[in-house]
Amino acid sequence: AQSVTQPDIHITVSEGASLELRCNYSYGATPYLFWYVQSPGQGLQLLLKYFSGDTLVQGIKGFEAEFKRSQSSFNLRKPSVHWSDAAEYFCAVGGRTGTASKLTFGTGTRLQVTL
Amino acid sequence: EAGVAQSPRYKIIEKRQSVAFWCNPISGHATLYWYQQILGQGPKLLIQFQNNGVVDDSQLPKDRFSAERLKGVDSTLKIQPAKLEDSAVYLCASSLGPAATDTQYFGPGTRLTVL
């Protein structure tokens, strides 16, 4: 069964500082991987996704993520955080066949940005 | 392009009452999903439709939850009777197709409180 672990429940960073949110997945084959952001009262918005190819993926709002097969990780990074980045971030894994569109989400990491 | 619409945004009911949620997906999207997001957890898939047929409802508590997607467009999710543990945000999402490579777009959700 596929699963996702986000070990950090809550992270606080200063505006302008760099950010890394951790994500580890469990899946039998090469997974499809996603990062979503959820602002208060909003639905989830896709930041970026990895299907194959280059393991460093660029997304919207200046975010990037790196797929590391050896570590079963897909960490999200941003070099300089803005106050508007405060939100909840979810990593998700999707299957390739059968339940191909079934996303399994992690429990999320809440990001707080201090000014 | 209009996004996924959901209503109502908030609902408060007593346990054992019934409730219904409505979702209007992005125009042209054949695949529609309902997720349940309990506080502090990631979204969990309840049911997936492809046009007006059910693709996956393995995690839908069928003794109390039901969903339909008549005419392959709008969808309703019903809970009858509601339990305290059904308090959650119910998210609707849609995608062009059922493949994992088809991005899922989420609505703002309906926050249900069961007293």
Side-chain angles (χ1 to χ4, degrees), chain B residues 10-101:
Chain B
Y10 305 90
K11 190 73 177 178
I12 301 174
I13 62 172
E14 302 275 337
K15 60 182 179 183
R16 291 187 291 274
Q17 285 186 322
S18 62
V19 64
F21 312 128
W22 173 83
C23 173
N24 179 240
I26 293 173
S27 178
H29 281 195
T31 311
L32 185 146
Y33 315 79
W34 283 102
Y35 289 86
Q36 180 192 56
Q37 185 178 16
I38 293 173
L39 186 65
Q41 299 181 19
K44 182 186 79 172
L45 180 67
L46 292 176
I47 188 167
Q48 176 185 340
F49 290 95
Q50 179 64 21
N51 296 310
N52 59 352
V54 175
V55 173
D56 183 354
D57 63 357
S58 57
Q59 298 193 90
L60 186 74
K62 299 180 187 63
D63 58 332
R64 297 183 301 105
F65 286 65
S66 64
E68 61 182 10
R69 191 184 184 198
L70 300 176
K71 301 180 182 179
V73 181
D74 294 1
S75 176
T76 55
L77 176 69
K78 297 179 182 177
I79 308 175
Q80 182 179 10
K83 293 185 175 181
L84 296 177
E85 58 261 36
D86 297 333
S87 294
V89 175
Y90 290 85
L91 296 165
C92 179
S94 70
S95 61
L96 278 172
T101 50

Side-chain angles (χ1 to χ4, degrees), chain A residues 32 34 36 38 41-46 49 51 88 90 94-96 98-108, chain B residues 9 31 33 35 37 40-43 45 48 56 58-59 91 97-109:
Chain A
Y32 291 148
F34 307 80
Y36 281 85
Q38 186 176 37
Q42 304 290 319
L44 282 77
Q45 181 184 21
L46 181 67
K49 57 192 175 185
F51 296 149
E88 185 128 28
F90 292 93
R96 283 179 178 268
T99 55
S101 60
K102 183 174 181 176
L103 294 182
T104 299
F105 287 85
T107 52
Chain B
R9 292 296 308 276
T31 311
Y33 315 79
Y35 289 86
Q37 185 178 16
Q41 299 181 19
L45 180 67
Q48 176 185 340
D56 183 354
S58 57
Q59 298 193 90
L91 296 165
T101 50
D102 291 318
T103 298
Q104 294 186 27
Y105 296 87
F106 286 79

